[in-house]
Amino acid sequence: MRIIKWAGLFSVLMMQLGCTNVPDKVEPVSGFELPRYLGQWHEVARLDHSFERNLLQVTATYSMREDGGVRVINRGIDAQSGKVKQAEGKAYFVEDETVGRLKVSFFGPFYGGYNIAKLAEDYSMVLVIGPSLDYAWILARSDQPDASQCREFYEAAEQIGITEKSWIRLLDCGLPANFKSPA
């Protein structure tokens, strides 16, 4: 019985470690400055996943926690019910605080990777990749981001292995209408 208990604990530990890894072809940005990153971001586009399905006008707001971590508030409007949905999480650096590689948790002790793969020099737009290429977001400070900047971030994602047609777009960016929409 003790072996089964330890095997289960080991499995959970391995799953947690695996969820914070950096996917192939993703290089977290260096020279990262957390104070410049804090504040509100608008979701430009995301890959489809159940925990954000049908959400519109999605924002992510980052602030400091008393324990030195980052408070994460994700908020959006459910397209079907019109109700606001919100999730609160916490994030911590995995290694060096000047590298855009964090682990984030919305569910107790379970963390997932939050890898900043591309960040505009002025911190106006970011490409975030999760623990695998199945999780990705393009965020902008503005709810009306510049089309050329959007194109640059979609192209960066394509180089990593995320095709343009994979995205669900929430903000127009003046790009062609062949993208998926969440509604």
Side-chain angles (χ1 to χ4, degrees), residues 16-69:
Q16 286 181 356
L17 289 173
C19 290
T20 60
N21 286 342
V22 180
D24 290 341
K25 296 186 181 180
V26 174
E27 180 69 33
V29 298
S30 57
F32 181 72
E33 299 173 34
L34 180 59
R36 293 181 66 195
Y37 195 79
L38 299 176
Q40 186 176 66
W41 293 84
H42 299 272
E43 198 169 272
V44 174
R46 67 171 176 258
L47 298 184
D48 187 31
H49 44 76
S50 62
F51 53 90
E52 273 191 295
R53 192 158 293 142
N54 298 318
L55 291 184
L56 302 169
Q57 298 176 21
V58 178
T59 59
T61 304
Y62 305 101
S63 61
M64 292 303 298
R65 292 172 46 94
E66 287 184 17
D67 66 2

Side-chain angles (χ1 to χ4, degrees), residues 106-118:
F106 289 93
F107 310 106
F110 303 104
Y111 285 86
Y114 184 100
N115 302 292
I116 299 172
K118 181 172 178 59

Side-chain angles (χ1 to χ4, degrees), residues 86-164:
Q86 178 174 302
E88 183 171 346
K90 55 189 175 185
Y92 299 93
F93 284 96
V94 174
E95 296 170 351
D96 186 338
E97 292 186 8
T98 65
V99 176
R101 180 174 179 220
L102 295 94
K103 60 182 184 177
V104 65
S105 174
F106 289 93
F107 310 106
F110 303 104
Y111 285 86
Y114 184 100
N115 302 292
I116 299 172
K118 181 172 178 59
L119 180 62
E121 190 174 318
D122 64 357
Y123 284 61
S124 61
M125 189 169 279
V126 64
L127 169 62
V128 177
I129 307 295
S132 74
L133 295 184
D134 294 329
Y135 300 93
W137 298 264
I138 297 175
L139 308 173
R141 292 291 189 177
S142 170
D143 63 356
Q144 297 178 342
D146 178 71
S148 63
Q149 190 176 40
C150 285
R151 172 63 52 214
E152 180 184 330
F153 278 76
Y154 282 117
E155 288 172 0
E158 185 110 19
Q159 290 175 1
I160 292 169
I162 301 170
T163 63
E164 197 169 296

Side-chain angles (χ1 to χ4, degrees), residues 1 6 123 147-149 165 178:
M1 189 63 148
W6 282 107
Y123 284 61
S148 63
Q149 190 176 40
K165 66 182 179 183
N178 62 344

Side-chain angles (χ1 to χ4, degrees), residues 1-11:
M1 189 63 148
R2 186 173 279 176
I3 292 173
I4 292 172
K5 184 176 180 180
W6 282 107
L9 180 60
F10 181 75
S11 295

